[in-house]
Amino acid sequence: MIKKIKKSAKLPLAGELSGVKGLTVLQKYMNRHLNHVNGGPSTFSGVVKSKVGDCWGLAEWAAKQLKANKYKVRIVQGVNSYVSNHRWVQVRLNGKWLNFESSLVTKKYGSKNYSNTCARLNKIVKTL
C-alpha cells in the first residue's frame, strides 16, 4: 500500500502535480510564492520559513514537492562562469531526465522556463 502524502504548509502542492503539466504548475507556484536570494537559506526548512532561498535551498524545496507527487527526482550540481556548485533538479519522465531549474523560475531571474539551466551538470547530489 502506497502512503499518500497530504498537503501541508511544507508541501503545499502534494497530490496536485503530474506529468509535464505538473512541472509548469510547480514553476508558476514558485514564481508567485518564492524567490532566489544569494546567501539565502540553503535547506528545505529554511525556504519553508522564509519563502526565499539560494539555489541549494530552492532545489531541495522543489525536489520534495515533486517527490510528494510521486515523481522520480534527483538534485544535481553543476558549474558555470560564476560558481562551481550551482544546484537544480532533474525529473524522470518518459524515460528521460528533464531539467527543472528551481532558481531561474523566480522573479529575480526573469521567470524563465523551468527547462532552462545556467550551469553544466557535473554531479548528481542525491536521488529522491
Side-chain angles (χ1 to χ4, degrees):
M1 182 171 173
I2 297 175
K3 181 180 172 188
K4 185 174 180 180
I5 300 173
K6 294 182 181 180
K7 284 174 90 167
S8 68
K10 290 182 180 181
L11 296 169
L13 300 172
E16 293 188 8
L17 308 177
S18 66
V20 174
K21 186 175 181 181
L23 301 180
T24 301
V25 171
L26 178 59
Q27 171 185 315
K28 289 177 181 179
Y29 182 93
M30 291 183 76
N31 184 263
R32 281 192 307 273
H33 300 285
L34 304 174
N35 211 351
H36 181 275
V37 173
N38 291 329
S42 60
T43 64
F44 172 78
S45 60
V47 172
V48 168
K49 288 177 188 172
S50 66
K51 305 297 183 217
V52 298
D54 66 6
C55 64
W56 287 36
L58 292 172
E60 187 176 355
W61 187 92
K64 288 192 177 193
Q65 302 308 310
L66 291 163
K67 183 67 176 172
N69 285 281
K70 299 183 176 83
Y71 286 88
K72 184 173 183 181
V73 181
R74 63 187 185 189
I75 297 173
V76 296
Q77 186 168 295
V79 297
N80 63 30
S81 58
Y82 302 105
V83 298
S84 62
N85 60 350
H86 177 68
R87 289 191 178 175
W88 68 98
V89 175
Q90 289 187 328
V91 181
R92 185 90 173 163
L93 283 175
N94 301 320
K96 295 180 183 178
W97 286 105
L98 303 176
N99 289 313
F100 186 92
E101 176 52 89
S102 41
S103 294
L104 294 183
V105 302
T106 64
K107 287 183 175 72
K108 178 179 179 177
Y109 292 107
S111 309
K112 294 183 175 38
N113 184 276
Y114 65 81
S115 64
N116 295 337
T117 59
C118 63
R120 189 180 76 253
L121 175 68
N122 69 352
K123 177 176 162 181
I124 297 168
V125 176
K126 67 177 158 182
T127 301
L128 304 179

